[in-house]
Amino acid sequence: MKFRSAFFTSLVAVVVSLPSQALTLSSVELSAAQHLGCVLADDALGYLNEDQFNTRFDEAVGDLSDAQVDVIYAKALGYIDGLLFGVSSGDMDIANRRLESFSNSETCAYGAQAVSRTVSL
């Protein structure tokens, strides 16, 4: 019984620690995710052809590892998902207005200089 208890405790510790590791992003990764969210918004609005999308995607993620790019891409999709939260699938006008607003925001000013960001919890 002692083995089961120790195993269960170890398993719980591993499971509990996984989300916090997966959600830990550096300021560089957060900035890249935000930039990539802008790229995804512009693409969804039809502003980018394939070459432009690829170029801007590469600019957003820079020289980050594939594992980091996966996390950044997931976070960028989260920005778009949050932006479109509550919009019914048939209401493209509202979705487009929200995407337009985000795309035109200061956050998405294409070519804007990188800004150092910190996150406090």
Side-chain angles (χ1 to χ4, degrees), residues 30-86:
L30 284 172
S31 179
Q34 194 170 40
H35 185 173
L36 188 55
C38 297
V39 174
L40 296 177
D42 286 350
D43 186 53
L45 289 164
Y47 294 164
L48 306 175
N49 63 34
E50 187 176 349
D51 289 336
Q52 291 168 320
F53 175 82
N54 290 335
T55 298
R56 290 192 50 202
F57 186 99
D58 291 343
E59 288 172 356
V61 297
D63 295 328
L64 300 170
S65 72
D66 288 344
Q68 288 173 302
V69 171
D70 289 345
V71 172
I72 290 165
Y73 187 69
K75 180 70 173 168
L77 287 174
Y79 284 135
I80 300 302
D81 189 41
L83 190 64
L84 300 178
F85 181 77

